[in-house]
Amino acid sequence: LDSVMNYPFRDTMLDFFLHNKDAKHTARVLMRIYENYPLHNFYSNMNLIGTHDVPRVLTILGEAPSEEGMSLSEKEKYRLPEQKRRTGIARLKLLSLIQMTFPGVPSVYYGDEAGMEGYRDPLNRGTYPWGKEEKELQNWYRKIIGIRNRYDVLSTGKLILLPLEGDVFGYIRVISNGMDVFGNTANDNLAVILVNRNKDLERRVTIDISRYCSGVLYNLVRGNIPVETAEGILNLVLKPLEGMILIKNHEE
């Protein structure tokens, strides 16, 4: 893989999910990255959210205490309380949804998909939890990776970041006129990706996609439920910590 490790992607998305930055700022930073990379490099960026150089992503998303001032023994023994762990898992599902649908090459650090926790090296290099994996996360990763592999628009479609603010972040991936972003022949398709980071409140959004399509989209995350557009206008309610992948050309 001729690529670079896309830590700016990771840092930007963690800032968003931890409420350090809002959706508008997040889109602006990602667009800055997009504008500063040659197209082929941007689409081959190694999009990671966990590595051996940083704490486990679940530990971060579960808002574990700062390791500053903690002894090695304390850090070794620390595990997220159940409620924080559930929040972290819900956030990780949304972050991996973005990882699998954003331009670039998704890279999963072993064990993140199994719910492993841990502070910095060497505590982020634990033995894989054979027989004790977090099944909810494993099943989610199988599902979201399957969606990524099934739809070319999620790998070579053009990126359009949506002008959203606050808790809802989203973008469009589109292949139109029979050509993908590189000018290769591809089937026309469109996907709308949305996430609500708020863990307590639902959020309503109205999005004009009439320039790209109209008619019925299908929510792949919620059992391929059809979503109608009114003359190309999407009116949606996202539940707390809900993500959507709405696709135009649905395959059974």
Side-chain angles (χ1 to χ4, degrees), residues 17-64:
F17 281 108
L18 295 174
H19 292 253
N20 296 326
K21 304 292 183 182
D22 71 356
K24 184 176 182 179
H25 176 90
T26 300
R28 187 163 59 242
V29 173
L30 292 173
M31 181 54 68
R32 189 180 307 136
I33 298 171
Y34 191 14
E35 291 172 344
N36 281 279
Y37 277 79
L39 187 64
H40 285 80
N41 295 82
F42 182 78
Y43 274 74
S44 64
N45 269 340
M46 186 176 173
N47 289 345
L48 51 85
I49 56 178
T51 74
H52 59 271
D53 290 323
V54 291
R56 284 281 177 178
V57 66
L58 186 55
T59 297
I60 296 172
L61 292 174
E63 299 184 70

Side-chain angles (χ1 to χ4, degrees), residues 149-202:
N149 290 336
R150 192 175 309 127
Y151 296 99
D152 290 343
V153 70
L154 299 177
S155 55
T156 60
K158 181 180 179 182
L159 171 68
I160 298 120
L161 289 159
L162 292 170
L164 300 169
E165 298 184 2
D167 289 328
V168 179
F169 171 73
Y171 46 92
I172 292 171
R173 303 293 305 277
V174 61
I175 294 174
S176 58
N177 300 319
M179 294 289 180
D180 67 14
V181 72
F182 303 113
N184 298 318
T185 302
N187 293 325
D188 284 8
N189 206 345
L190 174 135
V192 180
I193 294 88
L194 296 165
V195 296
N196 173 20
R197 72 178 178 185
N198 196 299
K199 63 185 179 67
D200 300 309
L201 301 174
E202 65 181 28

Side-chain angles (χ1 to χ4, degrees), residues 150-151 218 224 250-252:
R150 192 175 309 127
Y151 296 99
Y218 295 87
N224 305 326
H250 170 61
E251 300 173 3
E252 296 293 344

